[in-house]
Every structure is written in structure tokens, then in C-alpha cells.
Amino acid sequence: MNILIGTIFLWALALFALRLLRKSRPEAVPAVIARARTTTIYLVPRVFAGLLGAGFMAELLPVDKIEQYFGEGSGLIGVGLASVLGVVTPGGPFVAFAVGASALKAGAGWAPLVAYVTAFSVININRSLVYEIPLMGRQFTLIRMLVSVPLSLVLGGIALLF
């Protein structure tokens, strides 16, 4: 239900912005519509593949292993393993969140999931190699990673308390 509310809110916001743009700068509307079409064409196949993959993955993950290594009783070891997996997960959020959702369905606990998503979002090595090092340099990337690495462990540890 929450996703429906969010979706309705985003549609309302987009339509409101379109209405404002039509009043203030009508000549810009075709370019905005074209950009929206291009983005949609780019994203829809990826979202579909991510959701389809999440469905398959949820059925293929070995539930006993997920519960053993990432379940509620896995403690700090589960948080650590999930953090490492978050760092090395390739692809974008469609992949990472699909993996997280599948693991949750297969019995993963909240704390390892928090650690996994945090590590993917903050530390992900693939993104650092492709974007951050070329744009920001090795020294910046190294410093940012050193201060970011403990974050997924700390947040996963805090989630253990809940």
C-alpha cells in the first residue's frame, strides 16, 4: 500500500510540474516529454529484468543457507558477510534491491539486509572503479572508502538491536 501512495504522489507531483511548465515555458514541454520518453525506454527493461530476476532468485536461493548465514541468528558474522556482498555486488539498484528482496523472502534478517544495502549504496567497489576513481581520483576514493567501510557494519550492528 505504501508504494501505491508514493506512486500516486509522484504522478501528482509530475503532473503539477508539467502544468506549471506549460504555463511558464510552453516551448520547453516537447523537450521534457522527449527526455521522459528516453528515460522510460532506458529504465523499463532494466526494472522488468530486475523484478523478474528477483522472482527467480527468491525461488532459487537455498533457504537453509540464507537463514544460516544471514538469518536473525547470524549476528555480527551475518552483518559482516552481507557487508562484503554489498561491496562487490555488480550492477545498479535494480540488481541490489532485487537481491535484497529475494534474500529477505528466503529468510535473511533485518540487520544483514541493512548492512548489505548500506554497503552497496555507500561503498560499492564497481561504482568506485567505473565512476569515482576516473572522476575524483584515487586518493579521494581511498579516503572515502576508509571512512565509509565501517558504516555498513555499524548500521547493521545497530539494526541487530531492533
Side-chain angles (χ1 to χ4, degrees):
M1 184 62 164
N2 287 342
I3 198 164
L4 178 62
I5 294 168
T7 302
I8 291 169
F9 175 74
L10 287 174
W11 271 104
L13 190 62
L15 292 173
F16 177 74
L18 179 62
R19 184 172 176 217
L20 286 178
L21 187 63
R22 278 196 171 137
K23 284 184 178 182
S24 63
R25 293 186 27 221
E27 72 282 356
V29 172
V32 170
I33 299 292
R35 194 172 321 131
R37 184 181 309 113
T38 301
T39 303
T40 302
I41 290 168
Y42 176 79
L43 286 177
V44 166
R46 286 158 179 80
V47 170
F48 180 73
L51 294 174
L52 188 63
F56 288 133
M57 192 175 298
E59 295 301 318
L60 294 172
L61 284 176
V63 174
D64 57 327
K65 298 293 183 193
I66 296 296
E67 288 176 348
Q68 178 184 354
Y69 293 116
F70 304 105
E72 292 296 335
S74 64
L76 289 175
I77 292 175
V79 168
L81 286 172
S83 294
V84 170
L85 290 175
V87 169
V88 298
T89 298
F94 303 115
V95 173
F97 289 108
V99 168
S102 298
L104 190 61
K105 288 179 185 175
W110 290 109
L113 193 58
V114 166
Y116 172 76
V117 170
T118 302
F120 173 79
S121 300
V122 177
I123 311 166
N124 190 271
I125 192 77
N126 300 303
R127 196 170 42 246
S128 294
L129 290 173
V130 173
Y131 297 109
E132 191 171 5
I133 291 173
L135 295 172
M136 306 295 285
R138 283 181 290 174
Q139 185 176 3
F140 172 81
T141 303
L142 180 63
I143 291 169
R144 189 197 58 77
M145 283 193 156
L146 287 174
V147 299
S148 298
V149 163
L151 187 61
S152 65
L153 298 172
V154 168
L155 293 178
I158 291 171
L160 280 173
L161 300 174
F162 294 98

